[in-house]
Amino acid sequence: MTTIASGTDTLTRDALAVLQPGFTGTSAPSWLLRRLGEGLASVGLFGRNIATPAQVAALTAQLRAERDDVLVAIDEEGGDVTRLEVRTGSSFPGNHALGAVDDTGLTEAVAHELGRRLAACGVNLNWAPSADINSNSDNPVIGVRSFGADTSLVARHTAAYVSGLQSAGVAACTKHFPGHGDTAVDSHHAMPRIDADLAVLESRELVPFRAAIEAGTRAVMSAHILVPALDPVHPATLSRRILTGLLREELGYDGLIVTDGMEMQAISATYGIERGSVLAIAAGADAICVGGGLSDEPTVLRLRDALVAAVRSGELPEERLADAAARVRALASWTASTHPTPSTPASAVSAAGTEAGSAAGSDARTDVGLVAARRALTVTRGAHFAPVTEAPYVAAFTPVANIAVGDETPWGVAAELRRMLPGTETGSFTGERAGAEALAAAGSRRVVAVVRDAHRHTWMAEALDTLLAARPDTVVVEMGVPQSPPRGALHIATHGAARVCGLAAAEAIAGA
């Protein structure tokens, strides 16, 4: 059983309980273990904490030796946003690929298998799925993280994902309430704004969250967005009208409310993380997510002390903080009872797979993630189609990755094509001369052009123009949201850049 260190008062324990901090390293630092003993109830894992499934299992076992009911959270959406396979790419296609297939049974199966692998490593809270409707094609941060632009499609797949994940004993955290899809600004960098009226919000943004609540989602994550029709002053994370009035009272949600990362500029640059955390708890949030960028003990102590000071000054009601802490502990109890015995480090390897997920190995043909990635492909043959039978040149037109995705995770088709067509060469290009540079590098080889959201990047669309004018037999692989008409001798839309999406595309190119 968990033992709280003597000398830690109730107010301080509650202030620690509502925090979900991160840390650096692949084992738990001493300060983190000490704070778990004082009342900290949650820990967030990021790519910097991941090496192998066995290492993650050892890490979570280390945490549970200090607090047996600790919530271990991770931002593992599959697809483009992966932490468990941050160095290799995900074994699971993301939401947009699942939405393109539109088989809720498949979505539930993928989410269950993802949850099973997380649970095998001792992770019991997943900051997923994204229930955002990708209604703005210029959205720089959601895109393929969304199931699609159709409200009913997003709603049914959100519910299926929640059911699949939680059937594996991992709590789902549906995000980003009340909906981040109709924005053209990334809240990692600034404050997005949605100017839709109440009728549109009710019939569009809120529908998937209603479905998630009906499916029993154990957590909901707030968005750092301003929605004037709901609250003209406060962003959703800090809005009592949105978190308590809308989510709790109108939608009837009774689970855990988690904030998005408080170090994101939408909050930290406008309110500061200490002030923002106090306002979030006062508004109705129960858990403060911090640690994607801030991951040290001083940050935890600053937030703890800010919450305690706010209670003592009367700014934050003590009963609100106590209620938030109780909801955190209630979710911890649910996860402990649902999945009480995480795998040992040795068994985690077989349960979770290798770091690369073994998707290119002998078991790949029956892997649910690869099956889903294959089914998600949209393949269009053009007038100049000819099979790719010799090693091509892969030209990857590489945009700047958003912070949620990160730039450390590999993507594309080159690695997989190299296995199928030995001698395949590749290069990465960006900017206004990308097309000409790719042509020069390719020489006489057949070109496979790989793009990601070409409709959002003028230079990328122009690079394709240059390539196709000179080499109409070019194969085009779109690994973002396909908005433009199919182009090229062979056009493949993967609906995401997960490693299995690249494998499925390579199979189609090589004719496997």
Side-chain angles (χ1 to χ4, degrees):
M1 296 295 292
T2 300
T3 301
I4 300 297
S6 61
T8 307
D9 61 61
T10 300
L11 179 55
T12 301
R13 290 199 300 271
D14 287 348
L16 281 171
V18 302
L19 302 180
Q20 291 190 345
F23 61 96
T24 57
T26 53
S27 61
S30 59
W31 70 261
L32 184 65
L33 298 175
R34 185 169 61 253
R35 300 306 169 189
L36 286 171
E38 295 174 357
L40 186 69
S42 308
V43 175
L45 301 185
F46 296 86
R48 60 177 178 252
N49 306 122
I50 310 296
T52 65
Q55 167 267 322
V56 178
L59 168 58
T60 59
Q62 186 185 14
L63 297 172
R64 287 194 171 85
E66 192 64 46
R67 183 183 181 115
D68 54 9
D69 65 345
V70 63
L71 283 171
V72 182
I74 198 167
D75 195 6
E76 182 57 62
E77 299 177 13
D80 291 31
V81 180
T82 179
R83 308 302 179 222
L84 200 59
E85 298 180 279
V86 65
R87 292 170 184 81
T88 58
S90 181
S91 299
F92 303 93
N95 285 3
H96 205 268
L98 296 172
V101 178
D102 195 14
D103 178 343
T104 55
L106 179 65
T107 294
E108 185 170 351
V110 167
H112 176 83
E113 177 59 18
L114 178 59
R116 188 187 69 83
R117 295 192 187 187
L118 291 174
C121 295
V123 176
N124 53 15
L125 171 60
N126 191 10
W127 293 318
S130 168
D132 308 297
I133 297 168
N134 198 46
S135 52
N136 186 338
S137 61
D138 290 327
N139 195 312
V141 69
I142 301 301
V144 293
R145 300 169 67 196
S146 167
F147 288 109
D150 180 81
T151 299
S152 60
L153 179 144
V154 174
R156 62 180 174 266
H157 285 277
T158 296
Y161 197 105
V162 167
S163 297
L165 189 64
Q166 294 189 164
S167 69
V170 176
C173 183
T174 305
K175 61 190 183 184
H176 306 80
F177 187 81
H180 206 314
D182 191 15
T183 64
V185 173
D186 183 346
S187 50
H188 289 90
H189 301 298
M191 182 75 76
R193 176 186 175 108
I194 292 181
D195 286 312
D197 60 30
L198 281 173
V200 171
L201 294 172
E202 283 283 350
S203 63
R204 187 179 65 184
E205 269 73 17
L206 298 184
V207 174
F209 290 97
R210 291 183 187 274
I213 292 169
E214 287 186 19
T217 186
R218 292 284 168 173
V220 169
M221 178 177 282
S222 66
H224 304 329
I225 57 175
L226 191 65
V227 188
L230 297 173
D231 187 330
V233 177
H234 302 100
T237 294
L238 312 183
S239 171
R240 182 171 177 80
R241 164 72 187 96
I242 293 174
L243 297 188
T244 299
L246 177 58
L247 183 54
R248 288 271 186 238
E249 296 171 359
E250 294 182 33
L251 299 188
Y253 175 65
D254 195 41
L256 190 75
I257 299 177
V258 184
T259 72
D260 207 343
M262 296 300 282
E263 70 273 20
M264 293 164 63
Q265 292 295 300
I267 298 297
S268 63
T270 52
Y271 295 88
I273 63 168
E274 294 97 331
R275 175 74 177 154
S277 296
V278 169
L279 292 175
I281 297 295
D286 305 306
I288 301 296
C289 177
V290 64
L294 299 171
S295 52
D296 54 21
E297 185 177 24
T299 298
V300 173
L301 298 182
R302 282 163 51 202
L303 296 182
R304 179 202 66 183
D305 294 347
L307 292 167
V308 169
V311 170
R312 290 176 174 163
S313 71
E315 180 183 9
L316 175 62
E318 186 170 2
E319 58 270 22
R320 171 77 274 272
L321 180 61
D323 173 65
R327 290 180 186 276
V328 173
R329 296 179 188 122
L331 181 58
S333 296
W334 178 84
T335 58
S337 64
T338 305
H339 190 72
T341 311
S343 297
T344 61
S347 63
V349 177
S350 59
T354 64
E355 185 184 2
S358 301
S362 60
D363 294 332
R365 304 289 170 178
T366 57
D367 180 80
V368 67
L370 182 56
V371 168
R374 287 171 176 155
R375 290 182 62 188
L377 292 184
T378 303
V379 181
T380 306
R381 294 183 177 185
H384 297 278
F385 172 76
V388 178
T389 57
E390 298 181 355
Y393 185 87
V394 179
F397 297 114
T398 308
V400 175
N402 69 62
I403 293 176
V405 173
D407 58 8
E408 69 268 49
T409 304
W411 67 286
V413 302
E416 307 298 345
L417 271 178
R418 200 173 287 118
R419 279 193 281 269
M420 300 173 190
L421 298 170
T424 294
E425 294 184 2
T426 187
S428 179
F429 306 91
T430 188
E432 60 182 18
R433 289 189 46 79
E437 291 170 353
L439 276 174
S444 61
R445 289 174 178 261
R446 184 86 173 268
V447 178
V448 176
V450 185
V451 297
R452 202 168 180 176
D453 291 331
H455 68 282
R456 292 201 305 109
H457 304 282
T458 301
W459 67 267
M460 201 180 291
E462 291 174 350
L464 283 182
D465 290 341
T466 300
L467 273 178
L468 291 170
R471 304 285 290 276
D473 63 346
T474 293
V475 175
V476 178
V477 182
E478 169 62 84
M479 303 195 80
V481 177
Q483 290 286 317
S484 306
R487 307 175 68 190
L490 182 70
H491 185 278
I492 301 173
T494 63
H495 304 276
R499 180 176 49 78
V500 285
C501 295
L503 174 54
E507 290 176 340
I509 292 169

